[in-house]
Amino acid sequence: SFKMADLHVDVLEGFGQTLDDVNGQVMNLGDTWLVALQNKTLSSVFRVPSVYLELEDYDQLAQARSLPEEKIDVDFIYLRLPAEDEQQQRQWAGPLTNNHNEGGIDPLDFPPLKIRVRELMQGDDDWGSWRGQATLTDQGLLFENASADFKNITLKGDVLWEKKGSTSQTEFIGVATTNDVAKMTASFGYEPLIESQKGQLNIAIHWQGAPTDFDLSNCTGDMALAVKDGQLLSVDNAASSVRVIGLLNFQTLGRRLKLDFGDLYKKGLAFDTFGGDLAIDGGVVKTENFSLGGPSTQMKMKGSIDINKEQVYQEVEVTLPVGRNLVLPAAVVGGLPLASASINSPSAPSGANTSA
């Protein structure tokens, strides 16, 4: 009986992808077939239960969701994608996004899967490692407890990919965490605005297309951000008065007695908590309860950010822990374009609030 064969394929096509100059090996291990493929784009090992080779009509069985329960194991040692053309770059898209797969791959075409990508690259951009196991649903696949580690982020959750009319839809419910917010921000090519070792984002969103079609500007759903024990870095010298006022805050007296003046002498505005609930729809992110709480000031924010137009509409209320009112520069709250900013002093006379 057949045991092993080497192969070379000039052009290999599948699932909307085309691979050139592929070398490989096929091995019969009895109850499992092993297929190893390698070229400049990927190095992978497929472990296919023999029962799949006995199917008379895979397409018919797949559409009927009558596939065997055994999972096909796909292990990518590396997956190296070309860098995006500048005209095709999308600021909020993932590395595999390709226009929602119109007329492309169908979740009903897939068997139960166990997939792992040890190294995912797009040009010189490192997207880390990814893994998940998919079981069948009536209309697609459910990846339970999927996980990824990339760009100083650990992402965990469930991914549901199902057929919706002539296209498909992906839903993700999970959590993203980081132990270095500044480094995470820099890894995406942005100037760090926050320093913290405790950042968490709870996520419940969906988008049109496959899991690989993720694009934040086309997502709908809810998120909740929580960052602790950090500081805002986008604060200029105009905020020095706020830092000095922080010395008079008796609520942080215990911290001062421990000789912890870090929130004043370090560049930036220190905080204990920062975050709130976010709703995203059509590229517009809205919040009604974003807040910052720290030893020097309290802030409450509401408004919206249009990701596609890169516009910010924000109202900010700031409470200072002193017995006087103060006009707060916009730079103190991060330099964002502000619709309004009001300054409240809890011990000031009634009507002493100032708008800036």
Side-chain angles (χ1 to χ4, degrees):
S1 63
F2 178 85
K3 291 295 183 181
M4 184 177 68
D6 295 325
L7 58 87
H8 176 83
V9 182
D10 292 330
V11 178
L12 180 63
E13 296 183 352
F15 300 112
Q17 304 296 318
T18 301
L19 301 173
D20 299 324
D21 193 23
V22 180
N23 293 308
Q25 190 175 68
V26 179
M27 298 179 63
N28 182 0
L29 303 179
D31 59 352
T32 302
W33 286 73
L34 186 147
V35 180
L37 301 175
Q38 183 174 17
N39 75 343
K40 63 181 181 180
T41 300
L42 61 79
S43 176
S44 60
V45 177
F46 296 78
R47 293 176 175 83
V48 184
S50 297
V51 64
Y52 282 94
L53 303 181
E54 300 170 2
L55 299 178
E56 296 182 1
D57 190 337
Y58 172 83
D59 290 337
Q60 183 177 357
L61 288 171
Q63 294 294 329
R65 316 310 284 152
S66 300
L67 294 170
E69 294 183 1
E70 291 91 340
K71 290 181 172 63
I72 293 179
D73 189 314
V74 184
D75 190 350
F76 288 94
I77 309 304
Y78 64 77
L79 182 57
R80 299 169 182 168
L81 307 174
E84 284 184 310
D85 184 271
E86 290 186 3
Q87 295 181 349
Q88 296 177 337
Q89 286 182 350
R90 289 197 275 175
Q91 184 177 3
W92 302 96
L96 300 173
T97 305
N98 61 358
N99 298 319
H100 306 310
N101 286 305
E102 295 180 3
I105 58 177
D106 188 324
L108 294 177
D109 289 340
F110 283 80
L113 286 172
K114 179 180 180 181
I115 187 168
R116 178 179 183 182
V117 182
R118 300 171 186 257
E119 176 191 297
L120 176 60
M121 301 288 296
Q122 184 178 37
D124 295 328
D125 203 5
D126 187 352
W127 285 87
S129 61
W130 301 69
R131 66 172 64 194
Q133 297 190 47
T135 55
L136 301 181
T137 69
D138 290 341
Q139 295 297 319
L141 296 172
L142 173 62
F143 290 85
E144 292 186 283
N145 300 315
S147 64
D149 288 284
F150 63 99
K151 295 182 180 293
N152 296 285
I153 295 174
T154 297
L155 185 67
K156 296 181 179 180
D158 297 336
V159 181
L160 178 64
W161 178 30
E162 293 193 313
K163 186 80 170 179
K164 297 289 184 181
S166 60
T167 181
S168 65
Q169 177 178 288
T170 299
E171 175 184 288
F172 175 75
I173 299 177
V175 60
T177 59
T178 181
N179 58 12
D180 193 327
V181 176
K183 187 178 292 186
M184 178 273 293
T185 306
S187 68
F188 282 95
Y190 297 100
E191 185 73 19
L193 299 178
I194 297 175
E195 270 190 358
S196 172
Q197 276 68 56
K198 300 176 183 178
Q200 179 171 308
L201 182 67
N202 294 324
I203 306 168
I205 57 176
H206 63 268
W207 61 91
Q208 183 183 356
T212 54
D213 288 325
F214 170 77
D215 186 337
L216 187 60
S217 64
N218 289 320
C219 287
T220 300
D222 298 296
M223 296 178 285
L225 177 67
V227 183
K228 297 182 178 180
D229 304 328
Q231 56 187 340
L232 299 179
L233 301 181
S234 60
V235 180
D236 64 12
N237 292 332
S240 59
S241 57
V242 175
R243 297 185 199 167
V244 173
I245 290 170
L247 280 170
L248 305 178
N249 189 344
F250 290 100
Q251 294 179 359
T252 60
L253 181 60
R255 183 181 302 179
R256 303 302 176 216
L257 293 176
K258 295 178 182 178
L259 302 180
D260 180 3
F261 290 85
D263 60 303
L264 298 178
Y265 66 74
K266 292 181 181 178
K267 179 183 178 182
L269 180 66
F271 61 83
D272 298 317
T273 60
F274 176 74
D277 298 324
L278 303 165
I280 182 170
D281 187 9
V284 178
V285 181
K286 297 182 179 180
T287 182
E288 294 291 334
N289 64 351
F290 225 72
S291 65
L292 178 149
S296 301
T297 189
Q298 302 287 324
M299 297 185 187
K300 296 180 180 180
M301 293 164 272
K302 64 179 180 179
S304 63
I305 300 174
D306 191 318
I307 294 174
N308 297 312
K309 296 181 180 179
E310 298 185 350
Q311 293 180 337
V312 178
Y313 308 91
Q314 202 83 8
E315 294 181 3
V316 180
E317 179 182 299
V318 182
T319 301
L320 299 176
V322 292
R324 55 180 295 186
N325 55 324
L326 178 71
V327 176
L328 186 68
V332 175
V333 289
L336 295 175
L338 301 181
S340 66
S342 62
I343 313 304
N344 302 314
S345 178
S347 57
S350 177
N353 292 351
T354 301
S355 294

